[in-house]
Amino acid sequence: MDTRPHILIIEDDIEIRSLLRDHLAREGFRVDVGDGGAALDRFRSTFGDPDLVVLDIMMPGEDGLSICRRLRAASRLPILMLTAKGDEIDRIVGLEMGADDYLPKPFSPRELVARIRAILRRAEPVPLENRRFVVNTRLTVDLDKREISHAEEGPLPLTSAEFELLGCFLTRPNRVLSREQLMDWTRGRQADPLDRTIDVQVSRLRKKIEREGELIKTVRSAGYVFTGSVKEL
């Protein structure tokens, strides 16, 4: 049985598809390629979900943002988006829709491999810390099982990136955490001064967990602090 991570590349540029397919194959991945939503649907009907999708935003027909929205509505499948260098709005929208990370074009294939491996590590079910928490007596979080549940609404769907971010806050409550620290802990890389990845992820996390009031406070020019009542079980 082939246990190599299975990567699906959705990209309309034939040359880029071929380059990425060959490079990822040399790096030990199983790779399939396609050029739109139809290719994704064919892949899933044949193989099921891949381990990760590399998804270009700008494509004819159904674009990458639409495909991302469809995937995230039904799955926590890891998504790495490829964006044009100057399209900050597309990057932000992609992250808001639930993409795990993005890579602006042009990019180094080696950086793509590093980003893919980092996302796959975050998505692994292997626990980083065998700890459980209750937040404001309403939210129960299990870092071992990567599960979060609301007392009345039941399980809440977090992406791997959002759960990683939540874990940073719960293990360091009432401490101001800078964007640079959060980027390093969750992405394994330094933050670019103009990189809004963490801000977008915090915004998405807030929408999902702040049912009865503010839990994550913005500290101007410093970062964020988790202000909810955290009790470790």
Side-chain angles (χ1 to χ4, degrees), residues 131-147:
R131 301 169 71 177
R132 297 176 66 239
F133 300 87
V134 172
V135 179
N136 287 6
T137 73
R138 310 292 287 172
L139 288 173
T140 302
V141 183
D142 191 320
L143 293 186
D144 184 3
K145 297 180 180 179
R146 289 181 174 263
E147 294 176 348

Side-chain angles (χ1 to χ4, degrees), residues 68-159:
C68 180
R69 186 186 300 110
R70 279 206 291 130
L71 280 173
R72 194 51 76 228
S75 171
R76 295 170 61 182
L77 174 66
I79 301 169
L80 172 62
M81 301 204 80
L82 304 180
T83 73
K85 185 175 180 62
D87 291 341
E88 181 186 24
I89 295 300
D90 283 344
R91 294 199 295 269
I92 292 172
V93 172
L95 291 169
E96 288 178 341
M97 288 181 178
D100 293 87
D101 204 352
Y102 70 86
L103 192 58
K105 297 178 180 179
F107 55 83
S108 161
R110 292 179 61 185
E111 183 175 5
L112 175 68
V113 170
R115 297 284 186 94
I116 288 174
R117 286 178 172 156
I119 294 172
L120 291 176
R121 282 195 300 270
R122 294 200 301 270
E124 288 176 354
V126 179
L128 296 179
E129 298 185 65
N130 187 10
R131 301 169 71 177
R132 297 176 66 239
F133 300 87
V134 172
V135 179
N136 287 6
T137 73
R138 310 292 287 172
L139 288 173
T140 302
V141 183
D142 191 320
L143 293 186
D144 184 3
K145 297 180 180 179
R146 289 181 174 263
E147 294 176 348
I148 177 171
S149 180
H150 186 272
E152 297 174 356
E153 299 178 32
L156 303 180
L158 298 189
T159 67

Side-chain angles (χ1 to χ4, degrees), residues 6-17:
H6 204 165
I7 309 299
L8 175 62
I9 300 170
I10 302 294
E11 162 69 64
D12 67 307
D13 188 299
I14 296 176
E15 291 185 5
I16 294 178
R17 283 207 311 263

Side-chain angles (χ1 to χ4, degrees), residues 53-66:
V53 173
V54 177
L55 180 60
D56 187 32
I57 287 185
M58 297 299 294
M59 292 185 292
E62 185 179 15
D63 64 19
L65 294 176
S66 175

